[in-house]
Amino acid sequence: MPGPAPQPALPERLGAVLAGLPLRAVACSGGIDSLLLATLAHRQAPDATRVVHAVSPAVPAAATARVRAQASAEGWALDLVDAGEFSDPDYLANPVDRCFFCKQRLYSTLRQVTAALDGPVAILSGTNADDLGEYRPGLRAAEALGVRHPYVEAGIGKADIRALARVLGLAFADLPASPCLASRLYTGLAVTPERLRAVERAEDRLRAETGLSVLRCRRRGDLMLIEVEAGEGARIGPGLIARVAAEARAIDPGIRDLRLDPRPYAPGRAFRGAR
């Protein structure tokens, strides 16, 4: 069923925020928030808008594919970059504020990419008003590097973003939330490309076999736990778990066991010690 329409004043408020930024670069992760922001910013002023997407082992291949597809459809000026977080030992150690180090690298890279443009460039993120009530250490990095959050400035939350994307007929309007793959590793478990590839392979296979859209494979020590919404666990039988475990271990032999988490899916469960 179609969701509610966006509040009438919100698109105009967002448009006014964007219009006040003569040159802008949108950090686009491939999620609905940043995809919509990049789309609107480009449609409003294509010659003044660049879109930057970081490609790394922590970014699902599906997210990069979505960014490429939308860039092709809309005619974006798209830069694919390596933000360099995998050369940062603070990030790789996976502390509770790992996202700070990731965003610090990302926004610094965006500054470098746009330095040659003719005039000051506003770096834009897809952070929305609802995000401000969550533990998001990346916002500290954004503040330190002068990043703007147009949705926050316009008072726009997640439901408004989905409603606006539906009104515009955008294919990603109902895209489930899917943060970076490093969010699947419990705090303190070191980030490695192998661990992230194993998580991605497991999730991709489980979604393909079950049709579930809300699903996470989280790594806690040498155990990989499958999280699904309440009542959905019966769709993942022992045979499927065994096949997925074999595929994941082929990438990361450090996985001792793969099993269903008895608790239903909860966003951010892998973060420990967040304040």
Side-chain angles (χ1 to χ4, degrees):
M1 288 183 62
Q7 299 178 44
L10 293 184
E12 288 76 13
R13 292 214 304 262
L14 180 60
V17 171
L18 293 173
L21 306 170
L23 288 173
R24 54 274 186 103
V26 183
C28 187
S29 67
I32 180 176
D33 301 345
S34 59
L35 282 170
L36 178 63
L37 181 63
T39 299
L40 294 176
H42 178 265
R43 288 183 179 182
Q44 185 194 68
D47 293 337
T49 304
R50 297 192 75 84
V51 181
V52 183
H53 174 71
V55 180
S56 92
V59 177
T64 298
R66 280 193 297 271
V67 173
R68 287 181 178 274
Q70 190 69 3
S72 177
E74 296 283 332
W76 293 348
L78 174 65
D79 292 294
L80 300 178
V81 302
D82 175 1
E85 73 272 28
F86 277 74
S87 64
D88 183 349
D90 290 320
Y91 169 85
L92 295 176
N94 195 15
V96 71
D97 58 348
R98 180 198 67 246
C99 294
F100 170 82
F101 300 105
C102 176
K103 297 298 187 184
Q104 184 180 55
R105 291 272 180 164
L106 173 64
Y107 296 139
S108 296
T109 299
L110 264 69
R111 289 285 180 210
Q112 294 168 12
V113 167
T114 60
L117 298 182
D118 187 18
V121 179
I123 304 298
L124 309 184
S125 90
T127 300
N128 67 69
D130 296 332
D131 295 332
L132 301 184
E134 301 176 357
Y135 177 69
R136 289 184 176 257
L139 291 175
R140 289 194 290 115
E143 182 178 7
L145 290 163
V147 174
R148 301 279 296 270
H149 310 300
Y151 292 134
V152 174
E153 295 178 36
I156 291 176
K158 193 74 170 189
D160 303 310
I161 290 168
R162 291 200 183 280
L164 182 52
R166 290 188 190 105
V167 166
L168 295 173
L170 296 172
F172 51 79
D174 295 307
L175 183 69
S178 183
C180 82
L181 294 170
S183 70
R184 313 307 202 262
L185 306 183
Y186 271 68
T187 299
L189 180 65
V191 179
T192 70
E194 294 76 19
R195 285 172 177 160
L196 301 185
R197 285 202 304 272
V199 163
E200 184 174 24
R201 175 67 64 84
E203 290 188 355
D204 286 348
R205 175 53 64 109
L206 287 165
R207 289 192 181 99
E209 295 275 349
T210 66
L212 291 170
S213 58
V214 179
L215 179 150
R216 297 287 186 274
C217 289
R218 302 209 198 268
R219 182 71 182 275
R220 191 179 69 201
D222 58 6
L223 175 65
M224 184 178 282
L225 290 163
I226 304 167
E227 285 185 30
V228 295
E229 293 182 306
E232 300 286 7
R235 297 172 66 176
I236 303 177
L240 176 56
I241 290 177
R243 294 194 300 274
V244 171
E247 290 188 21
R249 284 197 196 98
I251 300 169
D252 178 9
I255 298 170
R256 174 181 56 83
D257 195 12
L258 173 68
R259 65 181 70 160
L260 275 170
D261 194 320
R263 301 166 296 178
Y265 162 76
R269 176 168 285 149
F271 285 107
R272 294 289 180 87
R275 290 177 173 80

